[in-house]
Amino acid sequence: MSRPSAALPTLDLRNVPGVLGQIVTQRAGDYAGADPELGPARPAPRRFETALWAGCQDEGALSLIAEVKRASPSQGAIAPLDPVEAARAYQAGGAAALSVLTEPRHFDGHLDFLRAVVGAVSIPALRKDFVVHPAMLREAAEAGASAALLMVSVLGEATGAYLETAHHLGLDALVEVHDERELDLALATGARMIGVNNRDLTTLHIDLDVSPRLIRRAREAGFDGLLVAESGYRRPEDVAQVRGLANAVLVGSSLAGSGDLTRAARDLMAR
Ligand SMILES: O=C(O)c1ccccc1NCC(=O)[C@H](O)[C@H](O)COP(=O)(O)O
């Protein structure tokens, strides 16, 4: 069944503060004239979600989502990674899934990186971008992504509608939160995967206590889906803080800037 995306609420991005506000305003401009039509429903193989569950079945085990990240607002240039080489190296290092940044201005990403990576490795990939238009989800599906990131700090009350859209397109969705209010909103959408970002995307400050706190709250609320701890993981001791709590960790900068992605992925996840 074709689903007209006209049903999606218009986003009001004027209240999104700081660097994040700047990024999403630019992204909204990039997609202002894009075709919002979604086309027919696509099958949902749920490869991303399945791969993450498979990697965390043993006591204390965590799946790794390794990020292809060449630059960021907090680090500037990280490394001039070849996306395909990076993806292969992460797969060899035991990553269960990949996150591929496709935002061009601040992260030096590109949609072509996602296409190339999907064709080169067998593990599933997530489109990591600042989704503010349904065409971004359609593009992700067409590029072969298995999942997309949806940020509650950006989509607010429209998160549930974007989640439905992602599922219509056959994509899994990682619904990202950073505080209690956003978590409660994410829980109300029926999300199957929730990511807790330790990085405050307004100030760029990282606090590794955020993920354990919100993950506990999600479990106490009865959430039985997949929980991902995101950002700021540099050492095995950092990762240890979410063992037995989270199902997966999403790691970018420390791996991407390491010079040996396979080894860095293995070392970080060692216990
Ligand atoms: O990474 C940034 O500086 C950043 C700034 C503004 C918005 C988003 C940003 N990062 C997105 C992410 O959430 C991270 O790429 C991801 O969680 C990995 O984080 P890290 O391991 O700390 O690179």
Side-chain angles (χ1 to χ4, degrees), residues 19-20 23 65 67 69 71-76 78 99 101 106-107 128 130 149 151 176 196-202 204 206 229-234 250-255:
V19 184
L20 183 60
I23 298 171
I65 308 171
E67 189 155 275
K69 185 173 188 180
S72 73
S74 41
Q75 308 269 315
I78 297 172
S99 164
L101 275 152
H106 304 268
F107 295 86
K128 186 81 178 291
F130 298 81
L149 182 79
M151 300 167 72
E176 182 180 287
V196 179
N197 203 331
N198 294 311
R199 182 180 282 114
D200 179 328
L201 301 184
T202 306
L204 304 185
I206 289 178
E230 302 176 22
S231 300
Y233 294 101
R234 313 190 69 80
L250 194 162
V251 186
S253 314
S254 68
L255 300 179

Side-chain angles (χ1 to χ4, degrees), residues 123-212:
I123 53 177
L126 166 131
R127 180 180 190 180
K128 186 81 178 291
D129 208 313
F130 298 81
V131 169
V132 288
H133 192 287
M136 299 175 83
L137 294 174
R138 191 188 59 231
E139 281 178 351
E142 287 169 356
S146 299
L149 182 79
L150 299 177
M151 300 167 72
V152 175
S153 55
V154 173
L155 300 172
E157 298 291 336
T159 304
Y162 273 81
L163 181 64
E164 258 185 58
T165 301
H167 290 165
H168 172 88
L169 289 164
L171 294 169
D172 293 340
L174 180 61
V175 176
E176 182 180 287
V177 303
H178 177 67
D179 60 27
E180 279 74 4
R181 188 190 60 80
E182 291 179 7
L183 174 62
D184 293 350
L185 208 151
L187 292 170
T189 64
R192 296 194 299 260
M193 293 192 294
I194 295 181
V196 179
N197 203 331
N198 294 311
R199 182 180 282 114
D200 179 328
L201 301 184
T202 306
T203 62
L204 304 185
H205 173 74
I206 289 178
D207 175 358
L208 293 186
D209 291 340
V210 173
S211 280

Side-chain angles (χ1 to χ4, degrees), residues 55 57-62 236 239-240 243-244 266-271:
Q57 291 306 307
D58 296 340
E59 181 78 28
L62 279 171
V239 171
R243 287 198 185 278
R266 285 203 189 114
D267 288 353
L268 182 68
M269 301 307 285
R271 54 176 170 148

